[in-house]
Every structure is written in C-alpha cells, then in structure tokens.
Amino acid sequence: MNDGSTSGELADSLRTLLSRLSPGDRLPSSRELIKEYRVGPATVARAIAALAAEGAVVTRPGSGTYVAQRARLRGGATDTDWQTVALTDRAVDTHLIADPLGPPPAGTITMDGGYMHRSLQPTRALSAALARAARRPDAWDRAPAGGLMALRTVFAQIVGGSVAPEDVLVTAGGQSALSIAFRAIAGPGSPVLVESPSYPRALAAARAAGLRPVPVPLDADGVRPDLLADAFAMTGARLLYCQPTFQNPTSTVLAPERRGQILDVARASGAFVIEDDFARHLGHGGAVPRPLVADDRDGTVIHVTSLTKPAAPSLRIGALVARGPVMERMRAVRLVDDFFVTRPLQEAALEVLSSPAWDRHVRSLGTALRERCAVLAAAVTQEIPGATLATLPTGGLHLWLRLPPGVDDTVLTSAARQRGVAVSAGSRYFATEPPAAHLRIGFAATADHAELTEGARRLGAALADLGPQQG
C-alpha cells in the first residue's frame, strides 16, 4: 500500500484482519500499521475511528486498540451476549409489578388497577390549572432543586403538626420518593422491614436499591408491634416501610394505640420509618388519622405523599417530609437523579391544591368511593359466597378478598381474564410465601356501579369454571 492510500482502503484491510482475530485481541499499534501499510498517522487515526464507530474495535487510551466483544461489522446482526457478563447480577426484579397476562383485551372490566376512572378525576380543574401555570412568565424557568417554596408550604400544611416547608422535598410522584428514600437510607444488602402483605411497587423499589424485604405480619389493627420488635432484633434492620392509613392492599388502618408503639420500637432500634401516606385524600367521608410524621419529634419518620392517586395518573407530583441529616441525604440523591421536578407541573399542582375546587373534589371523591366500595362488597358477597372480606374499607381504592380453601389465586386471575374481568392475584403482595390465597379487587377504575356488579359476576363465573378442585 503506497503513500496515497486512503483511510477507507486501510479500514477495509483492517476489516479483513479483524475477521481472523478473536474478540479482545489487540490490533497492531499505530506505529506498526504506519510501517506495514506505508501510510501516514492521520490515515491510521481516521481508519481506526471509522472501525470504532461501527463497533468493530474498542480503543483504550494508553493501551491500544482491541477487537470489540461484539463484532458488529457491516451487514451483520448485533451480538449483545457480552452484556450479560458486563451487567453482572444486578437485575431489576419487576415480576411483582409486571402483568404476566399482558394488556387486557378490549371490553375487559378493569378491577386490577391503582388509579381512578376518568369520570372520578378532576380533569377540568387540572386542565385549567395547567393552562394558568403555562401562562406564567417564569413557567419554563429552572425550578429550585427542593421544589417551589409555595408548593412545599402547601404540603407542610397538609401534613400538619410542626412540619415546616423546609422539611419538604418535592418529588416526581410517590414512586420516585420511595426510590430516593430507599437508596438514601440503607446500603445494598441491608434488610428493610415491610408489612405483610405490602405494596408491590415498594417491594420492587427496595429490591432495585439492593435491599432485602423482610415481612412483618399485619392483623386487623395494622402491623403488630411485638413482631416488629422481634424482626428488628433478629435482622438488625434500620428501616421499616409501612402504610399506616388505608394500607394497600388490605385497607387496614393502624390502630391509635399502636401508632406510638411502632415509633417507640423503631426509635429503640435506631431505625427509620418510611410512612407511605398515599391515601391521605382517599378517605370515604370519615375522619382520616393524622400522619405519623405530624407527631414525630426526633426525625424517625420519613413521610411520603403523592397527588397521583386522588387526582390523575399523570400528575406526577409527590413529596418527601423529613428532618435532619437524612433529608440532606435525600436532597443529594434527588439532585444527582434528575436535578428538579419540571416547573410547569409543580405550578399546576400548586394551582390545584390552592383552589376551593380541590376540597370539593376530595369530598365528592370520598362519597363516590364509599358508594362504589359498598356496591362491590355486596356483589362479591353474593357472587363468591365462599370468599371472605378482611374488612369493609373506610378509605382507599380496593377490597382484599380471602379466597375459599384450595383456590389458586394466579389460576383464578387467569380464568377471570378469560371471562373479561381483570383482578390482582394476592401473591404479588407478599415478600415471601403467602399464608393463604387472596385477590385484590379495585372499585375505582371501572366506569360505574353496573360495571362493578358485572365484574363480580364474571369473577364468580370464572371461579365456577375452575370446577370443584378450585372452588
């Protein structure tokens, strides 16, 4: 090859060389290529750059050029097997939150979701709030990393007690808040105590952070303080995740006498309590207990709240409430993650929460949820007489149904889908083996009362389809 050879010709020659080498083999040095092919340094550099852009080689400054682990030469299919080794064993487990049956077909009555039907959402108020927010001169300016001070003030007022705006960190919804808290508080491999059953997306977030969920049983009054103390002692955990108000999936409310006991146990163990208060605005018309953080004086509680459930799925605005160094740690995590929550959405949330329409919406929503809950409970009792409702909820979006002995919840869930109704298998809500078969059945995502009744009928028919061995 003479001095007039182009970098393209050299690249072609090197491709022939690559076909005889194995992934990881080192190519001749630039000096050796210059000498062998009688070209200049610039020609070699351009040829190597072209091969690197194709993914055929990898350059390592100070070391040399190597055959890529996946030879993605012209016209060939990409081989990504190398990624299995590179990614090691840090897989993100989504089996508890992914639907194994896939999207339901058209006409399916949806009773497995965690969001409200559009008819229950304050869509007109949300649209008006977003329009007003977008018209503000500073709507597209950078938002403070901790969130708009006015919005933090509103969240502090909702929580109550001695919580101040400085104790609030605005997040992109409740799930983002949980992820931030889990990663900020405990290191990979650490245990985290969770109610049993518990919220699957929280279990998934904990595992994605490298934590080990350890279940603590619930009863009709919420998590048991005696078993909680045993779990802290046995595991050395420094973190409890719980939903004290209208727990998902059981709708249990932590009894008044236990609320202080839970905090006492956590303090004695030197542990934090993540209080997921997702259902603060989902009461069915009665009194809603004060959040644990409102009575926390020493920074034990990290409070999580969100507007997504009571408003709409895409109002991804939530908040973390905490005091002390743990808040500084969480602020640092969120700063690294995504810097800040988009300002127009924060402004829209502030518009919604500051409007009299929000209080009217919460009151009307409570009435609608209470009526739907009663309709579905009556229909389930009639259509599935062998099943047992743990409690008639006074808040939240779901019924927790214990199935008759011998029924497999995953089999029934699949059969129900065939009958045109989607419900959630109870086994998804347990960090370990479930003690019995359950279903979580939602009453907020359907169009009306008639769909609730029809959904219960279809569920009963699905159970009958399984025959005596399942019924």
Side-chain angles (χ1 to χ4, degrees):
M1 185 175 292
N2 57 43
D3 290 339
S5 297
T6 66
S7 60
E9 292 172 334
L10 175 58
D12 288 338
S13 297
L14 292 180
R15 290 188 187 96
T16 301
L17 173 63
L18 291 175
S19 68
R20 300 194 299 267
L21 299 177
S22 300
D25 286 350
R26 186 179 182 276
L27 270 67
S29 67
S30 295
R31 181 177 299 178
E32 291 169 333
L33 293 175
I34 291 170
K35 181 178 180 180
E36 179 176 353
Y37 292 101
R38 301 175 60 191
V39 296
T43 299
V44 172
R46 286 194 292 269
I48 294 296
L51 294 176
E54 295 173 5
V57 299
V58 176
T59 59
R60 299 172 186 166
S63 176
T65 302
Y66 297 82
V67 181
Q69 292 299 317
R70 63 194 194 288
R72 195 181 65 185
L73 302 181
R74 287 180 182 173
T78 299
D79 178 7
T80 60
D81 286 350
W82 67 275
Q83 295 183 4
T84 301
V85 177
L87 291 172
T88 66
D89 61 349
R90 287 297 305 279
V92 179
D93 185 0
T94 61
H95 81 279
L96 292 178
I97 59 177
D99 188 346
L101 302 177
T108 300
I109 296 177
T110 303
M111 303 172 77
D112 63 342
Y115 298 115
M116 298 183 301
H117 189 267
R118 191 174 300 161
S119 63
L120 297 177
Q121 300 171 14
T123 51
R124 182 174 300 178
L126 290 171
S127 298
L130 190 59
R132 290 194 299 271
R135 289 195 295 267
R136 295 185 177 183
D138 58 354
W140 297 101
D141 288 354
R142 165 183 163 177
L148 299 178
M149 182 55 69
L151 183 57
R152 294 163 68 185
T153 299
V154 173
F155 274 123
Q157 292 169 347
I158 291 173
V159 172
S162 60
V163 171
E166 293 75 18
D167 302 325
V168 178
L169 174 66
V170 177
T171 66
Q175 191 67 20
S176 173
L178 288 178
S179 179
I180 290 171
F182 283 135
R183 288 181 293 128
I185 297 171
S190 301
V192 52
L193 306 187
V194 299
E195 297 164 317
S196 184
S198 187
Y199 176 45
R201 292 187 181 275
L203 298 178
R207 287 178 173 137
L211 310 185
R212 295 186 294 107
V214 177
V216 182
L218 296 170
D219 61 20
D221 291 323
V223 66
R224 290 179 49 180
D226 57 337
L227 296 181
L228 179 65
D230 290 344
F232 273 126
M234 292 174 62
T235 65
R238 292 295 179 264
L239 182 60
L240 164 68
Y241 166 78
C242 63
Q243 295 178 325
T245 304
F246 312 133
Q247 196 257 2
N248 181 8
T250 66
S251 299
T252 299
V253 177
L254 186 62
E257 63 275 11
R258 288 191 181 181
R259 301 174 85 82
Q261 294 173 9
I262 296 301
L263 295 187
D264 289 343
V265 170
R267 290 188 192 105
S269 303
F272 290 99
V273 175
I274 296 180
E275 176 189 27
D276 186 350
D277 200 30
F278 78 101
R280 172 67 27 196
H281 301 290
L282 299 178
H284 294 177
V288 178
R290 281 162 58 93
L292 297 180
V293 73
D295 300 311
D296 176 34
R297 294 291 181 268
D298 54 10
T300 298
V301 179
I302 289 89
H303 181 84
V304 176
T305 188
S306 171
L307 300 179
T308 304
K309 299 294 186 185
S314 285
L315 188 61
R316 306 299 300 175
I317 293 291
L320 281 162
V321 178
R323 299 181 178 93
V326 69
M327 174 55 91
E328 298 307 314
R329 178 78 61 84
M330 292 191 295
R331 286 195 183 107
V333 171
R334 89 80 34 84
L335 193 64
V336 171
D337 275 359
D338 56 10
F339 204 12
F340 58 84
V341 176
T342 176
R343 183 165 190 145
L345 204 57
Q346 289 194 61
E347 297 279 11
L350 180 59
E351 290 275 356
V352 170
L353 291 176
S354 302
S355 168
W358 176 250
D359 289 335
R360 292 196 296 270
H361 164 67
V362 171
R363 288 194 298 270
S364 64
L365 177 61
T367 299
L369 293 178
R370 182 176 67 249
E371 293 172 351
R372 285 167 168 258
C373 179
V375 168
L376 181 57
V380 165
T381 300
Q382 178 177 339
E383 299 294 343
I384 314 176
T388 305
L389 281 176
T391 184
L392 186 64
T394 57
L397 308 174
H398 316 98
L399 296 182
W400 184 240
L401 187 70
R402 179 165 179 159
L403 294 172
V407 177
D408 185 309
D409 57 349
T410 58
V411 172
L412 178 55
T413 300
S414 179
R417 186 70 67 91
Q418 297 298 317
R419 278 281 186 172
V421 59
V423 294
S424 299
S427 52
R428 298 174 57 207
Y429 299 84
F430 291 90
T432 56
E433 298 83 359
H438 293 81
L439 291 182
R440 193 197 72 168
I441 312 175
F443 48 77
T446 53
D448 50 33
H449 292 184
E451 274 200 357
L452 289 172
T453 303
E454 174 62 16
R457 187 197 67 76
R458 294 183 186 183
L459 182 58
L463 182 59
D465 289 342
L466 298 181
Q469 71 278 11
Q470 287 285 330

